PDB file of all heavy atoms in Angstrom:
ATOM      1  N   ALA A1491      -7.026  19.366 -11.116  1.00 91.00           N
ATOM      2  CA  ALA A1491      -7.502  20.262 -10.125  1.00 91.00           C
ATOM      3  C   ALA A1491      -6.798  21.628 -10.159  1.00 91.00           C
ATOM      4  O   ALA A1491      -7.424  22.693 -10.045  1.00 91.00           O
ATOM      5  CB  ALA A1491      -7.271  19.665  -8.699  1.00 91.00           C
ATOM      6  N   MET A1492      -5.490  21.597 -10.519  1.00 90.00           N
ATOM      7  CA  MET A1492      -4.732  22.852 -10.525  1.00 90.00           C
ATOM      8  C   MET A1492      -5.160  23.687 -11.702  1.00 90.00           C
ATOM      9  O   MET A1492      -5.213  24.896 -11.710  1.00 90.00           O
ATOM     10  CB  MET A1492      -3.248  22.597 -10.502  1.00 90.00           C
ATOM     11  CG  MET A1492      -2.787  22.117  -9.115  1.00 90.00           C
ATOM     12  SD  MET A1492      -1.001  21.778  -9.023  1.00 90.00           S
ATOM     13  CE  MET A1492      -0.294  23.309  -9.009  1.00 90.00           C
ATOM     14  N   VAL A1493      -5.379  23.008 -12.886  1.00 88.00           N
ATOM     15  CA  VAL A1493      -5.815  23.733 -14.023  1.00 88.00           C
ATOM     16  C   VAL A1493      -7.202  24.335 -13.760  1.00 88.00           C
ATOM     17  O   VAL A1493      -7.386  25.534 -14.046  1.00 88.00           O
ATOM     18  CB  VAL A1493      -5.890  22.819 -15.328  1.00 88.00           C
ATOM     19  CG1 VAL A1493      -6.592  23.501 -16.507  1.00 88.00           C
ATOM     20  CG2 VAL A1493      -4.514  22.320 -15.714  1.00 88.00           C
ATOM     21  N   SER A1494      -8.114  23.596 -13.247  1.00 88.00           N
ATOM     22  CA  SER A1494      -9.487  24.149 -13.084  1.00 88.00           C
ATOM     23  C   SER A1494      -9.535  25.247 -12.053  1.00 88.00           C
ATOM     24  O   SER A1494     -10.392  26.115 -12.184  1.00 88.00           O
ATOM     25  CB  SER A1494     -10.477  22.985 -12.722  1.00 88.00           C
ATOM     26  OG  SER A1494      -9.987  22.273 -11.652  1.00 88.00           O
ATOM     27  N   ARG A1495      -8.614  25.227 -11.078  1.00 86.00           N
ATOM     28  CA  ARG A1495      -8.570  26.340 -10.082  1.00 86.00           C
ATOM     29  C   ARG A1495      -8.321  27.687 -10.761  1.00 86.00           C
ATOM     30  O   ARG A1495      -8.783  28.694 -10.292  1.00 86.00           O
ATOM     31  CB  ARG A1495      -7.418  26.082  -9.153  1.00 86.00           C
ATOM     32  CG  ARG A1495      -7.938  25.827  -7.707  1.00 86.00           C
ATOM     33  CD  ARG A1495      -6.750  25.661  -6.799  1.00 86.00           C
ATOM     34  NE  ARG A1495      -6.494  24.325  -6.518  1.00 86.00           N
ATOM     35  CZ  ARG A1495      -5.296  23.795  -6.126  1.00 86.00           C
ATOM     36  NH1 ARG A1495      -4.252  24.618  -6.096  1.00 86.00           N
ATOM     37  NH2 ARG A1495      -5.130  22.502  -5.879  1.00 86.00           N
ATOM     38  N   ARG A1496      -7.536  27.686 -11.817  1.00 89.00           N
ATOM     39  CA  ARG A1496      -7.223  29.013 -12.447  1.00 89.00           C
ATOM     40  C   ARG A1496      -8.202  29.338 -13.550  1.00 89.00           C
ATOM     41  O   ARG A1496      -7.975  30.377 -14.251  1.00 89.00           O
ATOM     42  CB  ARG A1496      -5.814  28.860 -13.068  1.00 89.00           C
ATOM     43  CG  ARG A1496      -4.702  28.746 -11.974  1.00 89.00           C
ATOM     44  CD  ARG A1496      -3.374  28.966 -12.619  1.00 89.00           C
ATOM     45  NE  ARG A1496      -3.252  28.120 -13.880  1.00 89.00           N
ATOM     46  CZ  ARG A1496      -2.650  26.898 -13.814  1.00 89.00           C
ATOM     47  NH1 ARG A1496      -2.223  26.381 -12.694  1.00 89.00           N
ATOM     48  NH2 ARG A1496      -2.540  26.184 -14.913  1.00 89.00           N
ATOM     49  N   LYS A1497      -9.249  28.555 -13.729  1.00 93.00           N
ATOM     50  CA  LYS A1497     -10.139  28.832 -14.934  1.00 93.00           C
ATOM     51  C   LYS A1497     -11.572  29.070 -14.454  1.00 93.00           C
ATOM     52  O   LYS A1497     -11.940  28.590 -13.373  1.00 93.00           O
ATOM     53  CB  LYS A1497     -10.226  27.601 -15.868  1.00 93.00           C
ATOM     54  CG  LYS A1497      -8.866  27.144 -16.367  1.00 93.00           C
ATOM     55  CD  LYS A1497      -8.513  27.831 -17.636  1.00 93.00           C
ATOM     56  CE  LYS A1497      -7.228  27.231 -18.257  1.00 93.00           C
ATOM     57  NZ  LYS A1497      -6.736  27.950 -19.359  1.00 93.00           N
ATOM     58  N   LYS A1498     -12.323  29.841 -15.250  1.00 94.00           N
ATOM     59  CA  LYS A1498     -13.679  30.122 -14.978  1.00 94.00           C
ATOM     60  C   LYS A1498     -14.537  29.744 -16.172  1.00 94.00           C
ATOM     61  O   LYS A1498     -14.037  29.855 -17.355  1.00 94.00           O
ATOM     62  CB  LYS A1498     -13.898  31.618 -14.684  1.00 94.00           C
ATOM     63  CG  LYS A1498     -13.219  32.036 -13.415  1.00 94.00           C
ATOM     64  CD  LYS A1498     -13.962  31.623 -12.177  1.00 94.00           C
ATOM     65  CE  LYS A1498     -13.117  31.950 -10.929  1.00 94.00           C
ATOM     66  NZ  LYS A1498     -13.696  31.331  -9.732  1.00 94.00           N
ATOM     67  N   TYR A1499     -15.749  29.279 -15.922  1.00 95.00           N
ATOM     68  CA  TYR A1499     -16.702  29.011 -17.023  1.00 95.00           C
ATOM     69  C   TYR A1499     -17.498  30.308 -17.240  1.00 95.00           C
ATOM     70  O   TYR A1499     -17.982  30.863 -16.278  1.00 95.00           O
ATOM     71  CB  TYR A1499     -17.656  27.877 -16.592  1.00 95.00           C
ATOM     72  CG  TYR A1499     -18.428  27.334 -17.716  1.00 95.00           C
ATOM     73  CD1 TYR A1499     -17.896  26.300 -18.601  1.00 95.00           C
ATOM     74  CD2 TYR A1499     -19.761  27.732 -17.968  1.00 95.00           C
ATOM     75  CE1 TYR A1499     -18.577  25.830 -19.621  1.00 95.00           C
ATOM     76  CE2 TYR A1499     -20.501  27.196 -18.990  1.00 95.00           C
ATOM     77  CZ  TYR A1499     -19.921  26.241 -19.829  1.00 95.00           C
ATOM     78  OH  TYR A1499     -20.668  25.671 -20.834  1.00 95.00           O
TER      79      TYR A1499
END
Side-chain angles (χ1 to χ4, degrees):
M1492 287 177 75
V1493 170
S1494 50
R1495 243 184 260 155
R1496 294 191 308 268
K1497 303 269 188 190
K1498 295 284 172 190
Y1499 192 84

